[in-house]
Amino acid sequence: MFFTRCLQYYKHRIRVPGLLYQGRNKIILRISVAAKRRALCRLLVEQDNLDILKNPYLTGDEEHGHTKERSAVKTEQLRASKQLKMIPHKLLEDELNHLNCSKKWE
């Protein structure tokens, strides 16, 4: 019995049964000043983004069809880059032309 009491005294890790953040005996973390400051900074950045998005850069008339020319140029560039990556076409005649040096039978 004494030995058991000694072993219980030297328990290395106390395990809390169940989930730590749910239920009746949940652990509630304290909110630090740094966490409040970070949350405030995030809210201020989000408010700045909303203010920027609220005022559009283009008017409605300028916005109508302003990407057609850009998309046409982009598709041309994409097509040109694909053609540069393509392997040049080879014909079977070009590959086997070395066999066509003489047409006489042996």
Side-chain angles (χ1 to χ4, degrees):
M1 200 148 146
F2 179 75
F3 185 66
T4 307
R5 216 176 318 147
C6 289
L7 287 178
Q8 287 175 349
Y9 180 77
Y10 289 109
K11 225 183 220 186
H12 292 291
R13 181 174 63 103
I14 298 172
R15 185 184 176 293
V16 179
L19 300 173
L20 294 178
Y21 304 108
Q22 291 181 0
R24 187 181 68 179
N25 298 321
K26 62 186 165 205
I27 298 174
I28 299 172
L29 299 175
R30 294 186 181 269
I31 298 173
S32 65
V33 177
K36 289 179 187 177
R37 191 176 296 126
R38 283 193 304 266
L40 181 64
C41 288
R42 282 197 304 265
L43 285 174
L44 290 174
V45 167
E46 188 174 343
Q47 185 63 40
D48 290 342
N49 290 338
L50 287 175
D51 291 341
I52 290 170
L53 292 174
K54 193 185 304 180
N55 300 323
Y57 183 71
L58 299 175
T59 63
D61 296 334
E62 292 174 341
E63 186 178 355
H64 181 69
H66 76 284
T67 58
K68 287 183 182 177
E69 182 179 335
R70 183 176 172 205
S71 64
V73 170
K74 193 172 183 180
T75 54
E76 284 295 324
Q77 290 174 350
L78 185 63
R79 190 175 294 140
S81 67
K82 282 185 178 180
Q83 284 182 350
L84 288 175
K85 291 179 186 176
M86 265 180 62
I87 299 171
H89 297 297
K90 294 183 180 180
L91 300 175
L92 189 62
E93 293 177 3
D94 296 336
E95 292 293 324
L96 300 176
N97 198 19
H98 67 282
L99 298 174
N100 200 11
C101 57
S102 64
K103 294 194 174 197
K104 60 183 181 180
W105 292 93
E106 290 184 6

